[in-house]
PDB file of all heavy atoms in Angstrom:
ATOM      1  N   LEU A  35     -10.738  -0.734   9.400  1.00 93.00           N
ATOM      2  CA  LEU A  35      -9.966   0.470   9.642  1.00 93.00           C
ATOM      3  C   LEU A  35      -8.818   0.590   8.579  1.00 93.00           C
ATOM      4  O   LEU A  35      -8.019   1.500   8.663  1.00 93.00           O
ATOM      5  CB  LEU A  35      -9.432   0.557  11.046  1.00 93.00           C
ATOM      6  CG  LEU A  35     -10.455   0.716  12.130  1.00 93.00           C
ATOM      7  CD1 LEU A  35      -9.845   0.516  13.517  1.00 93.00           C
ATOM      8  CD2 LEU A  35     -11.206   2.016  12.043  1.00 93.00           C
ATOM      9  N   GLY A  36      -8.739  -0.393   7.677  1.00 91.00           N
ATOM     10  CA  GLY A  36      -7.750  -0.246   6.603  1.00 91.00           C
ATOM     11  C   GLY A  36      -6.477  -0.992   6.824  1.00 91.00           C
ATOM     12  O   GLY A  36      -5.466  -0.774   6.108  1.00 91.00           O
ATOM     13  N   SER A  37      -6.402  -1.909   7.757  1.00 92.00           N
ATOM     14  CA  SER A  37      -5.224  -2.680   8.030  1.00 92.00           C
ATOM     15  C   SER A  37      -5.311  -4.064   7.593  1.00 92.00           C
ATOM     16  O   SER A  37      -6.209  -4.818   8.055  1.00 92.00           O
ATOM     17  CB  SER A  37      -4.790  -2.637   9.501  1.00 92.00           C
ATOM     18  OG  SER A  37      -3.654  -3.354   9.745  1.00 92.00           O
ATOM     19  N   SER A  38      -4.423  -4.499   6.696  1.00 90.00           N
ATOM     20  CA  SER A  38      -4.464  -5.944   6.278  1.00 90.00           C
ATOM     21  C   SER A  38      -3.828  -6.840   7.277  1.00 90.00           C
ATOM     22  O   SER A  38      -2.814  -6.423   7.971  1.00 90.00           O
ATOM     23  CB  SER A  38      -3.568  -6.050   4.951  1.00 90.00           C
ATOM     24  OG  SER A  38      -3.250  -7.351   4.711  1.00 90.00           O
ATOM     25  N   PRO A  39      -4.339  -7.997   7.480  1.00 86.00           N
ATOM     26  CA  PRO A  39      -3.731  -8.930   8.496  1.00 86.00           C
ATOM     27  C   PRO A  39      -2.223  -9.257   8.169  1.00 86.00           C
ATOM     28  O   PRO A  39      -1.476  -9.589   9.052  1.00 86.00           O
ATOM     29  CB  PRO A  39      -4.575 -10.173   8.395  1.00 86.00           C
ATOM     30  CG  PRO A  39      -5.827  -9.780   7.728  1.00 86.00           C
ATOM     31  CD  PRO A  39      -5.518  -8.581   6.845  1.00 86.00           C
ATOM     32  N   LYS A  40      -1.839  -9.203   6.929  1.00 89.00           N
ATOM     33  CA  LYS A  40      -0.511  -9.544   6.525  1.00 89.00           C
ATOM     34  C   LYS A  40       0.444  -8.308   6.669  1.00 89.00           C
ATOM     35  O   LYS A  40       1.699  -8.474   6.550  1.00 89.00           O
ATOM     36  CB  LYS A  40      -0.465 -10.023   5.052  1.00 89.00           C
ATOM     37  CG  LYS A  40      -1.344 -11.208   4.875  1.00 89.00           C
ATOM     38  CD  LYS A  40      -0.569 -12.474   4.975  1.00 89.00           C
ATOM     39  CE  LYS A  40      -1.502 -13.611   4.602  1.00 89.00           C
ATOM     40  NZ  LYS A  40      -0.979 -14.882   5.124  1.00 89.00           N
ATOM     41  N   SER A  41      -0.100  -7.147   6.856  1.00 92.00           N
ATOM     42  CA  SER A  41       0.697  -5.951   6.917  1.00 92.00           C
ATOM     43  C   SER A  41       1.616  -5.972   8.160  1.00 92.00           C
ATOM     44  O   SER A  41       1.262  -6.425   9.232  1.00 92.00           O
ATOM     45  CB  SER A  41      -0.258  -4.747   6.983  1.00 92.00           C
ATOM     46  OG  SER A  41       0.484  -3.594   7.372  1.00 92.00           O
ATOM     47  N   HIS A  42       2.812  -5.467   8.041  1.00 93.00           N
ATOM     48  CA  HIS A  42       3.751  -5.359   9.132  1.00 93.00           C
ATOM     49  C   HIS A  42       3.668  -4.012   9.892  1.00 93.00           C
ATOM     50  O   HIS A  42       4.347  -3.839  10.811  1.00 93.00           O
ATOM     51  CB  HIS A  42       5.160  -5.680   8.628  1.00 93.00           C
ATOM     52  CG  HIS A  42       5.375  -7.019   8.125  1.00 93.00           C
ATOM     53  ND1 HIS A  42       5.546  -8.126   8.931  1.00 93.00           N
ATOM     54  CD2 HIS A  42       5.432  -7.490   6.887  1.00 93.00           C
ATOM     55  CE1 HIS A  42       5.681  -9.198   8.185  1.00 93.00           C
ATOM     56  NE2 HIS A  42       5.663  -8.842   6.952  1.00 93.00           N
ATOM     57  N   ILE A  43       2.959  -3.058   9.178  1.00 93.00           N
ATOM     58  CA  ILE A  43       2.881  -1.720   9.736  1.00 93.00           C
ATOM     59  C   ILE A  43       1.459  -1.387  10.086  1.00 93.00           C
ATOM     60  O   ILE A  43       0.502  -1.676   9.313  1.00 93.00           O
ATOM     61  CB  ILE A  43       3.474  -0.738   8.707  1.00 93.00           C
ATOM     62  CG1 ILE A  43       4.947  -1.000   8.445  1.00 93.00           C
ATOM     63  CG2 ILE A  43       3.258   0.683   9.066  1.00 93.00           C
ATOM     64  CD1 ILE A  43       5.601  -0.208   7.344  1.00 93.00           C
ATOM     65  N   LEU A  44       1.270  -0.615  11.169  1.00 93.00           N
ATOM     66  CA  LEU A  44      -0.053  -0.062  11.493  1.00 93.00           C
ATOM     67  C   LEU A  44       0.047   1.403  11.408  1.00 93.00           C
ATOM     68  O   LEU A  44       1.062   2.074  11.786  1.00 93.00           O
ATOM     69  CB  LEU A  44      -0.434  -0.473  12.889  1.00 93.00           C
ATOM     70  CG  LEU A  44      -0.852  -1.882  13.084  1.00 93.00           C
ATOM     71  CD1 LEU A  44      -1.155  -2.141  14.541  1.00 93.00           C
ATOM     72  CD2 LEU A  44      -2.180  -2.199  12.288  1.00 93.00           C
ATOM     73  N   ARG A  45      -0.974   2.111  10.864  1.00 91.00           N
ATOM     74  CA  ARG A  45      -1.014   3.481  10.746  1.00 91.00           C
ATOM     75  C   ARG A  45      -2.457   3.996  10.793  1.00 91.00           C
ATOM     76  O   ARG A  45      -3.380   3.198  10.714  1.00 91.00           O
ATOM     77  CB  ARG A  45      -0.339   3.975   9.420  1.00 91.00           C
ATOM     78  CG  ARG A  45      -1.010   3.494   8.197  1.00 91.00           C
ATOM     79  CD  ARG A  45      -0.360   4.005   6.870  1.00 91.00           C
ATOM     80  NE  ARG A  45       1.040   3.719   6.695  1.00 91.00           N
ATOM     81  CZ  ARG A  45       1.537   2.706   5.975  1.00 91.00           C
ATOM     82  NH1 ARG A  45       0.765   1.885   5.449  1.00 91.00           N
ATOM     83  NH2 ARG A  45       2.818   2.542   5.910  1.00 91.00           N
ATOM     84  N   GLY A  46      -2.592   5.246  10.947  1.00 91.00           N
ATOM     85  CA  GLY A  46      -3.908   5.907  10.954  1.00 91.00           C
ATOM     86  C   GLY A  46      -4.873   5.423  12.063  1.00 91.00           C
ATOM     87  O   GLY A  46      -4.448   5.211  13.159  1.00 91.00           O
ATOM     88  N   LYS A  47      -6.124   5.211  11.606  1.00 93.00           N
ATOM     89  CA  LYS A  47      -7.098   4.770  12.541  1.00 93.00           C
ATOM     90  C   LYS A  47      -6.850   3.443  13.140  1.00 93.00           C
ATOM     91  O   LYS A  47      -7.146   3.200  14.313  1.00 93.00           O
ATOM     92  CB  LYS A  47      -8.520   4.711  11.811  1.00 93.00           C
ATOM     93  CG  LYS A  47      -8.987   6.044  11.186  1.00 93.00           C
ATOM     94  CD  LYS A  47      -9.688   6.852  12.212  1.00 93.00           C
ATOM     95  CE  LYS A  47     -10.264   8.080  11.595  1.00 93.00           C
ATOM     96  NZ  LYS A  47     -10.568   9.096  12.527  1.00 93.00           N
ATOM     97  N   ALA A  48      -6.233   2.506  12.345  1.00 94.00           N
ATOM     98  CA  ALA A  48      -5.922   1.234  12.952  1.00 94.00           C
ATOM     99  C   ALA A  48      -4.901   1.365  14.040  1.00 94.00           C
ATOM    100  O   ALA A  48      -5.016   0.665  15.150  1.00 94.00           O
ATOM    101  CB  ALA A  48      -5.352   0.290  11.857  1.00 94.00           C
TER     102      ALA A  48
END
Side-chain angles (χ1 to χ4, degrees):
L35 295 172
S37 178
S38 163
K40 303 267 184 200
S41 168
H42 295 283
I43 296 176
L44 285 174
R45 61 177 57 95
K47 299 275 185 199

